[in-house]
């Protein structure tokens, strides 16, 4: 795989074999960030579970104390009488069948988060095969199917992130931007890791957090000693 000069320079800062304390890891991620834009910082947590079993699923959502640094576009599926409420809370779009058809017919995806009131899930269900693969399908576990639309919209705008296992039992989640600095990234990391630990399934055996790596969009990964948080 071809790696640019900046990436090769960044790699020299990091000892691949070392497990760093979290704050030191974020210091290194910031120093290793060479892109001309404000890179997103992500956390990748490998868990000692088998997500193929329903009783070992790990999924949820948490509002990061410092947000993600990203402007989140929120779409709300609700009845007509609740559209004003959704828009007043900060939603970018609110509607029902009109938005379902727009997505189906125009392949329209000008949004990052989808929230739905429970009475709309029969309608939204038609979009399962379209929204599901993109990770946009509303779900009660993530708090995106809720009667409290206004609160859900405000949380999404404030930096609520959803965490869930992928097929390799790893959780990938943004925790901010390089410009946040070490302290804010650390606070977000502690909040997210705490939520993941709290969500540990009763059926999980052995070491729960197998590895924890942070990296910026274009930068190399830095291993964190996550056991110190436990």
């Amino acid at each position: 795989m071809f790696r640019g000069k900046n990436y090769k320079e960044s790699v020299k800062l990091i000892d691949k074999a070392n497990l760093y304390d979290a704050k030191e890891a974020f210091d290194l991620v910031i120093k290793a960030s060479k892109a001309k834009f404000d890179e997103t910082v992500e956390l990748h947590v490998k868990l000692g579970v088998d997500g193929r079993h329903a009783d070992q699923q790990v999924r949820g959502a948490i509002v990061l104390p410092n947000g993600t640094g990203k402007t989140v576009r929120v779409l709300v599926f609700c009845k007509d009488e609740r559209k004003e409420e959704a828009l007043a809370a900060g939603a970018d779009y609110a509607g029902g069948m009109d938005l379902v058809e727009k997505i189906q017919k125009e392949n329209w995806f000008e949004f990052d988060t989808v929230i739905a009131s429970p009475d709309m899930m029969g309608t939204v269900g038609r979009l399962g095969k379209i929204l599901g693969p993109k990770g946009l399908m509303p779900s009660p576990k993530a708090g995106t199917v809720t009667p409290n639309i206004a609160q859900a919209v405000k949380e999404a705008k404030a930096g609520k992130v959803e965490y869930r296992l992928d097929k390799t039992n790893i959780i990938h989640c943004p925790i901010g931007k390089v410009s946040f600095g070490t302290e804010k990234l650390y606070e977000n990391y502690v909040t997210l890791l705490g939520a993941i630990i709290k969500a540990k399934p009763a059926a999980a055996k052995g070491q729960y957090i197998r590895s924890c790596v942070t990296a910026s969009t274009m930068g190399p990964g830095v291993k964190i000693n996550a056991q110190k948080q436990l």
Side-chain angles (χ1 to χ4, degrees):
M1 186 176 181
F2 173 76
R3 296 292 192 185
K5 189 176 85 173
N6 283 344
Y7 184 92
K8 287 172 183 170
E9 287 296 314
S10 298
V11 167
K12 290 176 188 172
L13 299 170
I14 296 152
D15 178 355
K16 285 284 186 189
N18 193 27
L19 282 178
Y20 291 94
D21 284 353
K23 285 189 179 179
E24 195 181 355
F26 295 124
D27 272 343
L28 285 169
V29 164
I30 291 164
K31 282 176 188 160
S33 171
K34 309 282 189 189
K36 289 186 170 69
F37 62 93
D38 192 8
E39 295 179 57
T40 295
V41 177
E42 290 197 340
L43 199 66
H44 308 277
V45 186
K46 185 168 181 64
L47 299 181
V49 297
D50 187 346
R52 291 173 300 179
H53 300 288
D55 63 351
Q56 292 189 48
Q57 270 296 326
V58 179
R59 182 179 183 183
I62 189 90
V63 177
L64 297 177
N66 301 302
T68 61
K70 182 183 176 188
T71 303
V72 180
R73 300 165 299 175
V74 178
L75 181 153
V76 175
F77 286 110
C78 59
K79 301 286 188 188
D80 283 351
E81 60 268 22
R82 299 197 70 184
K83 277 167 69 170
E84 281 306 316
E85 176 194 346
L87 294 169
D92 298 87
Y93 312 99
M97 200 60 208
D98 52 332
L99 292 178
V100 171
E101 289 178 354
K102 188 173 174 69
I103 291 166
Q104 286 174 326
K105 293 174 183 174
E106 298 175 27
N107 205 24
W108 175 72
F109 289 104
E110 298 294 313
F111 48 88
D112 308 294
T113 296
V114 181
I115 293 163
S117 57
D119 56 5
M120 288 299 291
M121 284 311 291
T123 304
V124 179
R126 304 175 194 199
L127 296 172
K129 286 184 179 173
I130 301 172
L131 297 181
K134 293 180 179 287
L136 290 169
M137 193 66 186
S139 86
K141 273 192 177 173
T144 46
V145 176
T146 173
N148 195 340
I149 291 171
Q151 184 185 344
V153 170
K154 285 170 183 167
E155 286 180 349
K157 288 285 185 179
K160 186 175 189 177
V161 292
E162 186 180 350
Y163 57 87
R164 60 194 296 184
L165 288 176
D166 69 5
K167 286 177 183 169
T168 59
N169 300 312
I170 298 174
I171 287 171
H172 309 273
C173 229
I175 56 166
K177 299 279 188 181
V178 165
S179 61
F180 278 25
T182 299
E183 285 301 323
K184 285 186 175 180
L185 288 171
Y186 177 73
E187 287 170 10
N188 281 356
Y189 156 79
V190 169
T191 301
L192 176 61
L193 198 69
I196 293 170
I197 292 166
K198 207 171 171 184
K200 180 181 178 179
K205 298 285 183 280
Q207 189 179 345
Y208 180 51
I209 294 190
R210 295 283 173 86
S211 69
C212 185
V213 176
T214 183
S216 63
T217 310
M218 309 292 285
V222 183
K223 293 176 185 171
I224 296 177
N225 182 1
Q227 300 305 319
K228 287 202 169 181
Q229 288 303 129
L230 305 179

